[in-house]
Amino acid sequence: MLEERGLKAGEFIEISRHLVEEQWVPANGARVVAKGLDRTPAFRQRLFANGRAAVTELGIEMPRHHRHLVVLENTPAVHNVICCTLCSCTAFTVIGLPPDWYKDLEYRARVVRESRTVLKEMGLDLAPEIEVRVWDTTADTRYVVLPVQPPHTIGWPEDKLAAIVTKDSMIGVARL
């Protein structure tokens, strides 16, 4: 029926499959994180000043409606975690499509109210003195967490560092 009306459903499905499986992958964000940790100080500054422009430098495109990409820096004293309380929005071209648990209503509601408990249930037990900040995506703003770099990885080449970055660490529910 779609093709009778001039719409090429098969073509659309193939293009979408390619995007999801080959372009919107966590490896994009892993490259951003690796470059933003200790490899390139000038890039790191640009990443915090204008995340969208910085990731574009690496060939990562973002949809027009993702007008802002805010990069949140985890530190020894502050831990950031992202969510979307309305649906399941992420910076999908950077970190890949959201995991199933991220889309779950329970995660979306509880991470805001009980962030420390939810993180602990997911395997991340933070010390009480670490401040937890929860960031909720909006219609035009997406977030990515820049995790704390493990000390033993200082000086690693960018590709080796990128290999340890996970989608969960870029959402803020895990550490490197």
Side-chain angles (χ1 to χ4, degrees):
M1 184 190 300
L2 291 172
E3 290 186 10
E4 287 175 9
R5 291 191 167 94
L7 302 172
K8 305 209 181 316
E11 191 176 301
F12 173 77
I13 291 168
E14 183 55 33
I15 290 168
S16 297
R17 184 203 59 75
H18 170 74
L19 289 171
V20 169
E21 294 178 3
E22 299 175 32
Q23 285 190 301
W24 300 342
V25 293
N28 291 339
R31 286 180 34 232
V32 171
V33 168
K35 197 168 193 70
L37 285 174
D38 73 339
R39 304 300 304 158
T40 313
F43 178 78
R44 179 184 175 88
Q45 290 174 346
R46 291 191 304 276
L47 193 58
F48 291 127
N50 184 338
R52 182 184 170 91
V55 302
T56 301
E57 292 175 29
L58 300 180
I60 302 169
E61 294 183 24
M62 295 187 68
R64 285 187 337 171
H65 68 282
H66 293 184
R67 291 183 31 218
H68 308 285
L69 177 66
V70 178
V71 179
L72 307 164
E73 182 179 24
N74 281 354
T75 69
V78 175
H79 185 87
N80 296 286
V81 62
I82 61 174
C83 70
C84 180
T85 55
L86 294 178
C87 55
S88 58
C89 296
T90 63
F92 58 85
T93 60
V94 179
I95 66 174
L97 295 180
D100 289 341
W101 57 261
Y102 185 88
K103 298 181 270 187
D104 187 82
L105 181 58
E106 186 174 343
Y107 169 79
R108 295 179 0 231
R110 288 185 61 224
V111 75
V112 175
R113 295 186 330 266
E114 312 167 41
S115 53
R116 194 173 295 277
T117 301
V118 170
L119 292 174
K120 186 173 184 177
E121 289 169 359
M122 296 183 81
L124 182 58
D125 192 9
L126 298 171
E129 64 273 8
I130 296 176
E131 177 186 354
V132 177
R133 295 180 184 164
V134 180
W135 300 82
D136 192 1
T137 60
T138 67
D140 64 355
T141 302
R142 300 297 187 261
Y143 299 97
V144 172
V145 174
L146 187 69
V148 172
Q149 183 173 3
H152 71 279
T153 67
I154 303 289
W156 279 14
E158 193 174 305
D159 60 336
K160 187 175 179 182
L161 194 53
I164 67 166
V165 177
T166 65
K167 184 184 292 194
D168 287 359
S169 69
M170 294 182 281
I171 292 173
V173 297
R175 287 193 162 174
L176 298 183

